[in-house]
Amino acid sequence: MNYSQSIHARQEQKKTFSPSLLRSFQLLNFSYPALVSFLEKHCLENPFLEFHSAEIAESVPFEEKEIYKERGDRMDPVPLFRSADALDSLDEHLRIQLLSSDAPTDVIRAGLRIIEYIDERGYCRESPEDIAAYEKLSVKATRAALDLIKTFSPRGVGAADLRECLLLQADPGLCKPDILQAILSAPIQALESGDWQRLAAIAGCDIAEIREHIAYLSTLSPYPGSGFDSGTPTPYTYPEIEIKSDGEQLSFSFRSGCELITVDAALFETLSDQAAGDPEASQYISARFREANELVNELKLRRHVVEMLIVYIIKEQTDYFTLPEGPLKPITMRMAAAALGVHPSTISRCVSGRYICTPRGTLPMKALFSSGYVSDSGTAVSSVEIKRLLRRMISGESPANPLSDLELTAKFAADGIRLSRRTVAKYREQLGIPGSRVRRRKGEILNEHK
Protein backbone atom coordinates (compact mmCIF):
# COMPACT_ATOMS: atom_id res chain seq x y z
CA MET A 1 0.00 0.00 0.00
CA ASN A 2 1.42 3.35 -1.08
CA TYR A 3 0.88 6.59 0.79
CA SER A 4 1.37 10.04 -0.69
CA GLN A 5 0.80 13.65 0.28
CA SER A 6 -0.71 16.31 -1.93
CA ILE A 7 -2.14 19.82 -1.66
CA HIS A 8 -5.61 20.64 -2.98
CA ALA A 9 -7.34 24.02 -3.19
CA ARG A 10 -10.98 24.09 -2.13
CA GLN A 11 -13.44 26.94 -1.91
CA GLU A 12 -16.21 26.87 0.69
CA GLN A 13 -18.49 29.28 2.53
CA LYS A 14 -18.86 29.38 6.29
CA LYS A 15 -21.11 31.41 8.50
CA THR A 16 -19.26 32.64 11.57
CA PHE A 17 -20.41 34.91 14.37
CA SER A 18 -18.30 37.72 15.66
CA PRO A 19 -17.62 37.82 19.44
CA SER A 20 -19.85 40.89 19.65
CA LEU A 21 -22.78 39.10 18.01
CA LEU A 22 -22.33 36.04 20.20
CA ARG A 23 -22.40 38.24 23.28
CA SER A 24 -25.59 39.90 21.97
CA PHE A 25 -27.23 36.47 21.89
CA GLN A 26 -25.97 35.83 25.41
CA LEU A 27 -27.32 39.13 26.74
CA LEU A 28 -30.70 38.49 25.14
CA ASN A 29 -30.98 35.18 26.95
CA PHE A 30 -30.09 36.62 30.36
CA SER A 31 -32.73 37.03 33.04
CA TYR A 32 -32.62 40.23 35.08
CA PRO A 33 -30.50 38.87 37.99
CA ALA A 34 -28.11 37.16 35.56
CA LEU A 35 -27.79 40.41 33.59
CA VAL A 36 -26.95 42.38 36.74
CA SER A 37 -24.32 39.81 37.74
CA PHE A 38 -22.82 39.83 34.22
CA LEU A 39 -22.56 43.62 34.11
CA GLU A 40 -21.07 43.85 37.59
CA LYS A 41 -18.32 41.43 36.54
CA HIS A 42 -17.51 43.40 33.38
CA CYS A 43 -17.44 46.70 35.27
CA LEU A 44 -14.79 45.25 37.57
CA GLU A 45 -12.69 44.19 34.58
CA ASN A 46 -13.12 47.31 32.45
CA PRO A 47 -12.08 50.67 34.00
CA PHE A 48 -14.26 52.67 31.59
CA LEU A 49 -17.53 51.03 32.66
CA GLU A 50 -19.47 52.46 35.58
CA PHE A 51 -22.15 50.30 37.17
CA HIS A 52 -25.23 51.90 38.67
CA SER A 53 -26.79 49.94 41.48
CA ALA A 54 -29.87 48.03 40.41
CA GLU A 55 -32.78 47.78 42.81
CA ILE A 56 -33.97 44.21 42.76
CA ALA A 57 -35.43 44.13 46.26
CA GLU A 58 -38.99 44.49 44.96
CA SER A 59 -39.14 40.82 44.09
CA VAL A 60 -42.06 38.44 44.10
CA PRO A 61 -41.27 35.30 46.11
CA PHE A 62 -42.65 32.00 44.88
CA GLU A 63 -42.96 29.21 47.43
CA GLU A 64 -44.37 26.05 45.85
CA LYS A 65 -43.49 23.64 43.12
CA GLU A 66 -44.04 24.66 39.51
CA ILE A 67 -43.75 28.12 38.10
CA TYR A 68 -47.08 28.36 36.35
CA LYS A 69 -50.26 26.43 35.95
CA GLU A 70 -53.93 27.02 35.34
CA ARG A 71 -56.08 27.16 38.43
CA GLY A 72 -59.81 27.75 38.38
CA ASP A 73 -60.83 30.24 35.75
CA ARG A 74 -57.56 32.07 35.44
CA MET A 75 -53.84 31.66 35.06
CA ASP A 76 -52.05 31.97 38.38
CA PRO A 77 -48.37 32.26 39.13
CA VAL A 78 -47.70 29.30 41.37
CA PRO A 79 -44.88 29.20 43.92
CA LEU A 80 -41.77 27.20 43.09
CA PHE A 81 -41.20 25.49 46.41
CA ARG A 82 -43.44 24.61 49.28
CA SER A 83 -42.20 26.34 52.44
CA ALA A 84 -42.86 24.84 55.85
CA ASP A 85 -43.79 26.58 59.06
CA ALA A 86 -41.40 24.32 60.94
CA LEU A 87 -38.17 25.92 62.07
CA ASP A 88 -36.06 22.77 61.67
CA SER A 89 -35.45 20.36 58.87
CA LEU A 90 -36.58 16.75 58.83
CA ASP A 91 -33.04 15.62 59.67
CA GLU A 92 -32.88 17.87 62.72
CA HIS A 93 -36.35 16.82 63.83
CA LEU A 94 -35.39 13.14 63.71
CA ARG A 95 -32.02 13.70 65.43
CA ILE A 96 -33.71 15.46 68.34
CA GLN A 97 -36.06 12.51 68.85
CA LEU A 98 -33.23 10.00 68.47
CA LEU A 99 -30.93 11.72 70.95
CA SER A 100 -33.82 12.11 73.39
CA SER A 101 -34.52 8.37 73.36
CA ASP A 102 -33.06 5.88 75.84
CA ALA A 103 -31.69 3.62 73.08
CA PRO A 104 -28.22 2.05 73.48
CA THR A 105 -25.21 3.98 72.21
CA ASP A 106 -24.62 1.71 69.21
CA VAL A 107 -28.26 2.08 68.14
CA ILE A 108 -28.09 5.88 68.41
CA ARG A 109 -24.84 5.90 66.41
CA ALA A 110 -26.47 3.77 63.71
CA GLY A 111 -29.61 5.94 63.80
CA LEU A 112 -27.60 9.09 63.13
CA ARG A 113 -26.18 7.44 60.04
CA ILE A 114 -29.60 6.20 58.88
CA ILE A 115 -31.06 9.70 59.11
CA GLU A 116 -28.55 10.80 56.47
CA TYR A 117 -30.09 8.24 54.08
CA ILE A 118 -33.67 9.50 54.56
CA ASP A 119 -34.71 11.72 51.65
CA GLU A 120 -36.71 14.94 51.90
CA ARG A 121 -39.96 13.02 51.38
CA GLY A 122 -39.26 10.90 54.44
CA TYR A 123 -38.28 7.61 52.75
CA CYS A 124 -35.25 5.44 53.47
CA ARG A 125 -34.59 3.65 50.20
CA GLU A 126 -31.53 1.71 51.41
CA SER A 127 -31.90 -1.52 53.36
CA PRO A 128 -30.42 -1.71 56.89
CA GLU A 129 -28.00 -4.37 55.68
CA ASP A 130 -26.63 -2.10 52.95
CA ILE A 131 -26.35 0.87 55.33
CA ALA A 132 -24.51 -1.31 57.84
CA ALA A 133 -22.09 -2.40 55.13
CA TYR A 134 -21.54 1.17 53.82
CA GLU A 135 -21.03 2.70 57.26
CA LYS A 136 -19.30 -0.31 58.86
CA LEU A 137 -21.96 -0.73 61.53
CA SER A 138 -23.53 -3.69 63.24
CA VAL A 139 -26.45 -5.08 61.24
CA LYS A 140 -28.37 -5.78 64.45
CA ALA A 141 -27.91 -2.19 65.71
CA THR A 142 -28.80 -0.76 62.28
CA ARG A 143 -32.03 -2.73 62.11
CA ALA A 144 -32.95 -1.68 65.64
CA ALA A 145 -32.19 1.95 64.83
CA LEU A 146 -34.35 1.91 61.69
CA ASP A 147 -37.22 0.28 63.61
CA LEU A 148 -36.88 3.00 66.25
CA ILE A 149 -36.92 5.80 63.66
CA LYS A 150 -40.10 4.37 62.15
CA THR A 151 -41.84 5.10 65.48
CA PHE A 152 -40.89 8.80 65.35
CA SER A 153 -42.98 11.65 64.08
CA PRO A 154 -43.99 12.34 61.43
CA ARG A 155 -45.72 8.99 61.15
CA GLY A 156 -44.51 6.99 58.18
CA VAL A 157 -40.96 8.31 58.20
CA GLY A 158 -38.20 5.80 57.43
CA ALA A 159 -40.41 3.63 55.22
CA ALA A 160 -38.86 1.91 52.22
CA ASP A 161 -41.89 2.33 49.93
CA LEU A 162 -45.37 3.82 49.77
CA ARG A 163 -47.06 0.67 51.06
CA GLU A 164 -44.96 0.58 54.23
CA CYS A 165 -45.33 4.34 54.67
CA LEU A 166 -49.13 4.13 54.73
CA LEU A 167 -49.10 1.10 57.03
CA LEU A 168 -46.87 2.92 59.52
CA GLN A 169 -49.38 5.77 59.62
CA ALA A 170 -52.40 3.48 60.12
CA ASP A 171 -54.17 3.89 63.45
CA PRO A 172 -55.56 0.52 64.70
CA GLY A 173 -58.35 2.43 66.39
CA LEU A 174 -59.58 3.81 63.07
CA CYS A 175 -59.00 0.83 60.76
CA LYS A 176 -58.20 -2.85 60.63
CA PRO A 177 -54.49 -3.23 59.76
CA ASP A 178 -54.99 -6.64 58.13
CA ILE A 179 -57.61 -5.27 55.72
CA LEU A 180 -55.47 -2.22 55.01
CA GLN A 181 -52.46 -4.42 54.32
CA ALA A 182 -54.49 -6.63 51.98
CA ILE A 183 -55.71 -3.57 50.04
CA LEU A 184 -52.19 -2.19 49.67
CA SER A 185 -50.90 -5.61 48.57
CA ALA A 186 -53.61 -6.02 45.93
CA PRO A 187 -52.88 -5.43 42.22
CA ILE A 188 -52.86 -1.74 41.38
CA GLN A 189 -55.40 -2.32 38.59
CA ALA A 190 -58.03 -3.25 41.18
CA LEU A 191 -57.50 0.02 43.01
CA GLU A 192 -57.48 2.15 39.86
CA SER A 193 -60.66 0.63 38.46
CA GLY A 194 -62.44 0.59 41.84
CA ASP A 195 -63.03 -3.15 41.71
CA TRP A 196 -64.32 -3.39 45.30
CA GLN A 197 -65.59 -6.92 44.85
CA ARG A 198 -62.14 -8.18 43.91
CA LEU A 199 -60.55 -6.29 46.80
CA ALA A 200 -63.13 -7.69 49.21
CA ALA A 201 -62.31 -11.22 48.06
CA ILE A 202 -58.59 -10.58 48.58
CA ALA A 203 -59.07 -9.04 52.03
CA GLY A 204 -61.73 -11.51 53.14
CA CYS A 205 -64.29 -8.87 54.11
CA ASP A 206 -67.38 -7.21 52.69
CA ILE A 207 -67.45 -4.34 50.17
CA ALA A 208 -68.59 -1.80 52.79
CA GLU A 209 -65.40 -2.34 54.80
CA ILE A 210 -63.29 -2.01 51.67
CA ARG A 211 -64.86 1.35 50.90
CA GLU A 212 -64.34 2.55 54.47
CA HIS A 213 -60.65 1.63 54.36
CA ILE A 214 -60.18 3.21 50.92
CA ALA A 215 -61.66 6.43 52.33
CA TYR A 216 -59.33 6.16 55.34
CA LEU A 217 -56.31 5.71 53.03
CA SER A 218 -57.12 9.03 51.37
CA THR A 219 -56.52 10.79 54.70
CA LEU A 220 -52.92 9.52 55.00
CA SER A 221 -49.88 11.32 53.64
CA PRO A 222 -47.75 9.64 50.95
CA TYR A 223 -44.85 12.03 51.76
CA PRO A 224 -44.44 12.33 55.54
CA GLY A 225 -41.38 14.56 55.22
CA SER A 226 -42.95 17.15 52.93
CA GLY A 227 -43.91 19.49 55.79
CA PHE A 228 -40.32 20.24 56.77
CA ASP A 229 -37.72 22.62 55.49
CA SER A 230 -35.69 20.83 52.81
CA GLY A 231 -32.75 23.22 53.24
CA THR A 232 -33.12 24.48 49.68
CA PRO A 233 -33.15 28.29 49.58
CA THR A 234 -36.37 29.80 48.29
CA PRO A 235 -35.77 31.13 44.77
CA TYR A 236 -37.06 34.54 43.75
CA THR A 237 -38.24 35.85 40.46
CA TYR A 238 -37.51 39.39 39.31
CA PRO A 239 -39.98 40.77 36.75
CA GLU A 240 -37.96 42.74 34.25
CA ILE A 241 -40.96 44.38 32.57
CA GLU A 242 -44.15 45.75 34.08
CA ILE A 243 -47.38 46.22 32.14
CA LYS A 244 -49.87 48.67 33.66
CA SER A 245 -53.44 49.52 32.79
CA ASP A 246 -55.24 52.77 33.60
CA GLY A 247 -58.57 51.32 32.57
CA GLU A 248 -58.38 52.53 29.00
CA GLN A 249 -54.81 52.18 27.83
CA LEU A 250 -51.91 49.80 28.51
CA SER A 251 -48.35 50.94 29.11
CA PHE A 252 -45.13 49.19 30.03
CA SER A 253 -41.83 50.03 31.65
CA PHE A 254 -38.43 48.36 32.02
CA ARG A 255 -36.64 47.71 35.26
CA SER A 256 -33.26 47.28 33.60
CA GLY A 257 -31.37 48.01 30.43
CA CYS A 258 -28.48 50.03 29.13
CA GLU A 259 -28.93 52.52 31.97
CA LEU A 260 -27.32 50.01 34.33
CA ILE A 261 -23.88 50.95 32.97
CA THR A 262 -22.32 54.04 31.43
CA VAL A 263 -18.99 54.71 29.73
CA ASP A 264 -16.62 57.14 31.40
CA ALA A 265 -15.37 59.14 28.41
CA ALA A 266 -13.54 61.66 30.64
CA LEU A 267 -11.39 58.91 32.12
CA PHE A 268 -10.56 57.66 28.63
CA GLU A 269 -9.33 61.10 27.57
CA THR A 270 -7.24 61.46 30.74
CA LEU A 271 -5.61 58.04 30.40
CA SER A 272 -5.05 58.52 26.67
CA ASP A 273 -3.13 61.75 27.33
CA GLN A 274 -1.01 60.06 30.01
CA ALA A 275 -0.19 57.07 27.76
CA ALA A 276 0.59 59.15 24.68
CA GLY A 277 4.24 58.06 24.68
CA ASP A 278 3.53 54.36 25.33
CA PRO A 279 2.11 52.53 22.25
CA GLU A 280 1.31 49.36 24.20
CA ALA A 281 -0.61 51.24 26.92
CA SER A 282 -2.43 53.33 24.32
CA GLN A 283 -3.48 50.19 22.47
CA TYR A 284 -4.77 48.60 25.70
CA ILE A 285 -6.74 51.72 26.65
CA SER A 286 -8.31 52.03 23.19
CA ALA A 287 -9.28 48.35 23.16
CA ARG A 288 -10.93 48.57 26.57
CA PHE A 289 -12.78 51.74 25.65
CA ARG A 290 -14.00 50.13 22.43
CA GLU A 291 -15.21 47.06 24.35
CA ALA A 292 -17.09 49.30 26.78
CA ASN A 293 -18.94 51.07 23.97
CA GLU A 294 -19.72 47.78 22.26
CA LEU A 295 -21.27 46.42 25.45
CA VAL A 296 -23.48 49.49 25.82
CA ASN A 297 -24.61 49.18 22.20
CA GLU A 298 -25.36 45.49 22.73
CA LEU A 299 -27.50 46.37 25.73
CA LYS A 300 -29.40 48.91 23.64
CA LEU A 301 -30.01 46.24 21.01
CA ARG A 302 -31.21 43.82 23.68
CA ARG A 303 -33.64 46.40 25.03
CA HIS A 304 -34.89 47.20 21.53
CA VAL A 305 -35.66 43.55 20.71
CA VAL A 306 -37.43 42.96 24.04
CA GLU A 307 -39.37 46.20 23.62
CA MET A 308 -40.61 45.13 20.17
CA LEU A 309 -41.78 41.83 21.62
CA ILE A 310 -43.61 43.50 24.52
CA VAL A 311 -45.38 45.88 22.12
CA TYR A 312 -46.46 42.89 20.03
CA ILE A 313 -47.71 40.99 23.11
CA ILE A 314 -49.69 43.99 24.36
CA LYS A 315 -51.27 44.44 20.94
CA GLU A 316 -52.26 40.78 20.66
CA GLN A 317 -53.29 40.18 24.28
CA THR A 318 -55.08 43.45 25.06
CA ASP A 319 -58.30 41.71 26.16
CA TYR A 320 -56.40 39.39 28.45
CA PHE A 321 -54.70 42.30 30.24
CA THR A 322 -57.67 44.67 30.41
CA LEU A 323 -60.69 42.41 31.00
CA PRO A 324 -61.16 40.60 34.34
CA GLU A 325 -61.77 37.27 32.59
CA GLY A 326 -60.33 38.13 29.20
CA PRO A 327 -59.27 35.07 27.18
CA LEU A 328 -55.69 34.44 26.21
CA LYS A 329 -55.34 34.74 22.45
CA PRO A 330 -53.45 31.84 20.83
CA ILE A 331 -50.12 33.16 19.56
CA THR A 332 -46.92 31.20 19.06
CA MET A 333 -43.29 32.28 19.10
CA ARG A 334 -43.11 31.58 15.39
CA MET A 335 -46.01 33.96 14.79
CA ALA A 336 -44.29 36.64 16.87
CA ALA A 337 -41.01 36.12 14.98
CA ALA A 338 -42.78 36.50 11.63
CA ALA A 339 -44.53 39.69 12.76
CA LEU A 340 -41.30 41.24 14.07
CA GLY A 341 -39.09 40.05 11.23
CA VAL A 342 -36.68 38.07 13.40
CA HIS A 343 -35.75 34.42 13.76
CA PRO A 344 -37.91 32.27 16.11
CA SER A 345 -34.79 31.50 18.17
CA THR A 346 -34.53 35.22 18.95
CA ILE A 347 -38.05 35.19 20.41
CA SER A 348 -37.19 32.05 22.35
CA ARG A 349 -34.15 33.78 23.88
CA CYS A 350 -36.30 36.79 24.83
CA VAL A 351 -38.88 34.61 26.54
CA SER A 352 -36.60 32.11 28.28
CA GLY A 353 -36.38 32.70 32.04
CA ARG A 354 -37.97 36.16 31.82
CA TYR A 355 -40.90 37.25 33.98
CA ILE A 356 -43.38 40.02 33.39
CA CYS A 357 -45.58 41.88 35.87
CA THR A 358 -49.07 42.29 34.44
CA PRO A 359 -52.53 43.36 35.69
CA ARG A 360 -53.27 39.61 35.91
CA GLY A 361 -50.28 38.94 38.15
CA THR A 362 -46.61 38.15 37.72
CA LEU A 363 -46.20 35.54 35.01
CA PRO A 364 -43.40 33.91 33.06
CA MET A 365 -43.41 35.50 29.62
CA LYS A 366 -43.59 32.04 28.09
CA ALA A 367 -47.09 31.65 29.56
CA LEU A 368 -48.39 34.31 27.15
CA PHE A 369 -47.67 32.06 24.16
CA SER A 370 -49.83 29.06 23.37
CA SER A 371 -51.26 27.16 20.44
CA GLY A 372 -54.98 27.15 19.76
CA TYR A 373 -57.97 26.33 17.62
CA VAL A 374 -60.54 28.21 15.58
CA SER A 375 -64.19 27.95 16.62
CA ASP A 376 -67.13 27.71 14.26
CA SER A 377 -67.64 31.46 14.61
CA GLY A 378 -64.06 32.08 13.40
CA THR A 379 -62.77 33.11 16.84
CA ALA A 380 -59.33 31.84 17.80
CA VAL A 381 -59.31 29.92 21.09
CA SER A 382 -56.02 29.17 22.84
CA SER A 383 -55.20 25.84 24.43
CA VAL A 384 -55.05 27.65 27.79
CA GLU A 385 -58.64 28.83 27.33
CA ILE A 386 -59.72 25.33 26.32
CA LYS A 387 -58.19 23.89 29.49
CA ARG A 388 -59.96 26.55 31.54
CA LEU A 389 -63.29 25.63 29.95
CA LEU A 390 -62.55 21.92 30.44
CA ARG A 391 -61.84 22.42 34.13
CA ARG A 392 -65.06 24.43 34.52
CA MET A 393 -67.11 21.70 32.80
CA ILE A 394 -65.70 18.97 35.04
CA SER A 395 -66.04 21.02 38.22
CA GLY A 396 -69.73 21.52 37.45
CA GLU A 397 -70.53 17.89 36.70
CA SER A 398 -72.50 15.56 38.95
CA PRO A 399 -70.16 13.39 41.08
CA ALA A 400 -72.56 10.48 40.66
CA ASN A 401 -72.57 10.83 36.86
CA PRO A 402 -69.30 12.44 35.70
CA LEU A 403 -68.79 13.41 32.09
CA SER A 404 -66.83 11.06 29.87
CA ASP A 405 -64.28 12.35 27.36
CA LEU A 406 -66.78 11.76 24.58
CA GLU A 407 -69.45 13.80 26.39
CA LEU A 408 -66.94 16.59 27.05
CA THR A 409 -66.09 16.57 23.34
CA ALA A 410 -69.79 16.97 22.53
CA LYS A 411 -70.08 19.91 24.96
CA PHE A 412 -67.15 21.65 23.28
CA ALA A 413 -68.76 21.02 19.89
CA ALA A 414 -71.98 22.58 21.17
CA ASP A 415 -69.96 25.69 22.01
CA GLY A 416 -68.53 25.74 18.49
CA ILE A 417 -65.10 24.28 19.36
CA ARG A 418 -64.33 21.15 17.34
CA LEU A 419 -61.96 18.86 19.23
CA SER A 420 -61.25 15.16 19.00
CA ARG A 421 -61.84 12.90 21.99
CA ARG A 422 -58.10 12.22 22.11
CA THR A 423 -57.37 15.95 22.38
CA VAL A 424 -59.84 16.34 25.25
CA ALA A 425 -58.26 13.36 27.03
CA LYS A 426 -54.80 14.87 26.55
CA TYR A 427 -55.81 18.21 28.07
CA ARG A 428 -57.63 16.47 30.92
CA GLU A 429 -54.51 14.48 31.76
CA GLN A 430 -52.36 17.62 31.59
CA LEU A 431 -54.68 19.19 34.19
CA GLY A 432 -54.17 16.16 36.43
CA ILE A 433 -57.86 15.17 36.28
CA PRO A 434 -58.56 11.42 36.24
CA GLY A 435 -61.02 9.69 33.92
CA SER A 436 -64.77 9.55 34.47
CA ARG A 437 -64.66 6.07 35.99
CA VAL A 438 -62.18 7.11 38.68
CA ARG A 439 -64.09 10.33 39.36
CA ARG A 440 -67.31 8.32 39.77
CA ARG A 441 -65.63 5.99 42.28
CA LYS A 442 -64.26 8.94 44.24
CA GLY A 443 -67.72 10.46 44.38
CA GLU A 444 -69.15 7.21 45.74
CA ILE A 445 -66.42 6.99 48.36
CA LEU A 446 -66.95 10.56 49.52
CA ASN A 447 -70.74 10.08 49.75
CA GLU A 448 -70.35 6.91 51.78
CA HIS A 449 -67.70 8.50 53.99
CA LYS A 450 -70.09 11.34 54.85
Side-chain angles (χ1 to χ4, degrees):
M1 184 179 291
N2 297 324
Y3 294 94
S4 62
Q5 292 181 341
S6 61
I7 300 176
H8 298 279
R10 184 177 62 182
Q11 185 177 7
E12 63 179 13
Q13 289 183 336
K14 281 188 177 181
K15 180 184 289 187
T16 59
F17 296 111
S18 66
S20 177
L21 185 58
L22 289 174
R23 191 164 60 181
S24 296
F25 291 152
Q26 186 181 19
L27 289 174
L28 193 60
N29 201 40
F30 277 153
S31 62
Y32 183 55
L35 176 65
V36 172
S37 177
F38 176 84
L39 295 179
E40 284 180 337
K41 177 184 177 183
H42 275 265
C43 287
L44 292 175
E45 297 173 351
N46 195 318
F48 302 113
L49 288 175
E50 291 184 353
F51 182 80
H52 304 283
S53 60
E55 297 183 5
I56 58 176
E58 301 175 3
S59 56
V60 181
F62 284 173
E63 299 170 353
E64 276 185 358
K65 197 170 183 178
E66 211 169 314
I67 295 176
Y68 161 85
K69 71 177 183 182
E70 299 161 310
R71 182 190 300 164
D73 296 334
R74 66 187 191 281
M75 294 192 303
D76 288 342
V78 180
L80 292 176
F81 291 95
R82 178 181 178 184
S83 60
D85 295 331
L87 298 178
D88 54 358
S89 65
L90 178 62
D91 291 356
E92 292 171 347
H93 184 70
L94 294 177
R95 288 192 188 99
I96 291 173
Q97 296 179 79
L98 179 63
L99 296 175
S100 300
S101 68
D102 55 358
T105 304
D106 58 341
V107 174
I108 292 179
R109 185 184 301 111
L112 292 173
R113 289 285 183 262
I114 291 174
I115 290 174
E116 297 177 1
Y117 287 86
I118 296 177
D119 60 28
E120 60 183 20
R121 293 182 172 182
Y123 288 89
C124 182
R125 305 294 184 180
E126 301 289 341
S127 66
E129 292 77 14
D130 290 341
I131 295 176
Y134 297 152
E135 303 294 339
K136 298 180 180 179
L137 300 169
S138 166
V139 175
K140 181 179 179 181
T142 306
R143 288 174 178 169
L146 184 56
D147 291 339
L148 178 62
I149 290 174
K150 290 178 181 179
T151 64
F152 292 166
S153 69
R155 298 293 297 273
V157 71
D161 51 35
L162 177 60
R163 175 178 170 276
E164 184 182 9
C165 176
L166 297 176
L167 289 174
L168 288 174
Q169 297 177 58
D171 186 349
L174 300 176
C175 68
K176 296 180 180 179
D178 56 337
I179 296 180
L180 202 64
Q181 186 168 359
I183 293 174
L184 294 174
S185 301
I188 190 65
Q189 293 81 4
L191 291 172
E192 290 179 345
S193 61
D195 191 348
W196 308 143
Q197 188 172 0
R198 183 180 179 186
L199 291 174
I202 294 174
C205 62
D206 56 30
I207 295 178
E209 286 184 299
I210 290 294
R211 289 176 172 170
E212 290 177 0
H213 283 75
I214 292 292
Y216 176 71
L217 276 175
S218 65
T219 65
L220 305 180
S221 172
Y223 306 123
S226 61
F228 292 84
D229 182 13
S230 63
T232 305
T234 302
Y236 288 81
T237 180
Y238 304 92
E240 185 175 342
I241 305 113
E242 182 178 7
I243 297 178
K244 295 181 180 180
S245 174
D246 58 3
E248 297 180 357
Q249 191 174 5
L250 291 170
S251 62
F252 69 95
S253 60
F254 281 85
R255 299 185 62 191
S256 66
C258 54
E259 67 274 4
L260 286 174
I261 61 171
T262 55
V263 179
D264 191 346
L267 178 61
F268 171 70
E269 293 179 0
T270 301
L271 294 179
S272 297
D273 293 341
Q274 294 177 358
D278 189 343
E280 185 176 350
S282 297
Q283 184 178 2
Y284 173 81
I285 292 171
S286 299
R288 287 296 183 178
F289 186 69
R290 183 172 59 254
E291 290 175 3
N293 283 291
E294 287 177 354
L295 181 57
V296 171
N297 291 332
E298 290 159 8
L299 285 173
K300 290 180 180 179
L301 177 61
R302 174 186 185 272
R303 184 187 181 102
H304 174 68
V305 173
V306 175
E307 184 175 339
M308 287 196 306
L309 180 59
I310 295 300
V311 171
Y312 173 79
I313 289 175
I314 290 177
K315 180 181 177 181
E316 296 294 329
Q317 305 290 7
T318 301
D319 290 345
Y320 176 74
F321 294 133
T322 55
L323 302 178
E325 294 188 3
L328 187 70
K329 184 178 178 181
I331 57 173
T332 62
M333 296 184 191
R334 190 173 295 276
M335 293 168 58
L340 300 179
V342 297
H343 195 273
S345 63
T346 302
I347 302 299
S348 178
R349 290 187 178 94
C350 287
V351 169
S352 177
R354 187 169 278 112
Y355 289 82
I356 182 171
C357 185
T358 74
R360 299 287 290 267
T362 300
L363 303 170
M365 193 180 292
K366 188 177 182 180
L368 300 174
F369 294 89
S370 67
S371 58
Y373 302 85
V374 179
S375 65
D376 292 346
S377 62
T379 305
V381 184
S382 70
S383 59
V384 174
E385 180 68 12
I386 289 175
K387 291 178 184 179
R388 184 183 71 84
L389 295 174
L390 178 61
R391 186 188 293 275
R392 177 179 290 181
M393 290 178 186
I394 294 177
S395 63
E397 69 184 5
S398 170
N401 188 25
L403 299 169
S404 66
D405 292 337
L406 194 59
E407 291 171 329
L408 290 169
T409 303
K411 288 179 73 68
F412 274 113
D415 293 336
I417 303 175
R418 305 292 176 178
L419 301 174
S420 66
R421 187 201 61 80
R422 182 178 298 179
T423 301
V424 172
K426 179 186 72 172
Y427 286 147
R428 175 181 55 75
E429 292 172 358
Q430 289 177 356
L431 292 172
I433 300 175
S436 58
R437 178 181 295 182
V438 177
R439 299 202 304 274
R440 182 181 294 108
R441 292 295 185 186
K442 287 184 177 180
E444 293 175 355
I445 293 171
L446 290 175
N447 289 334
E448 293 171 1
H449 191 57
K450 290 179 181 179

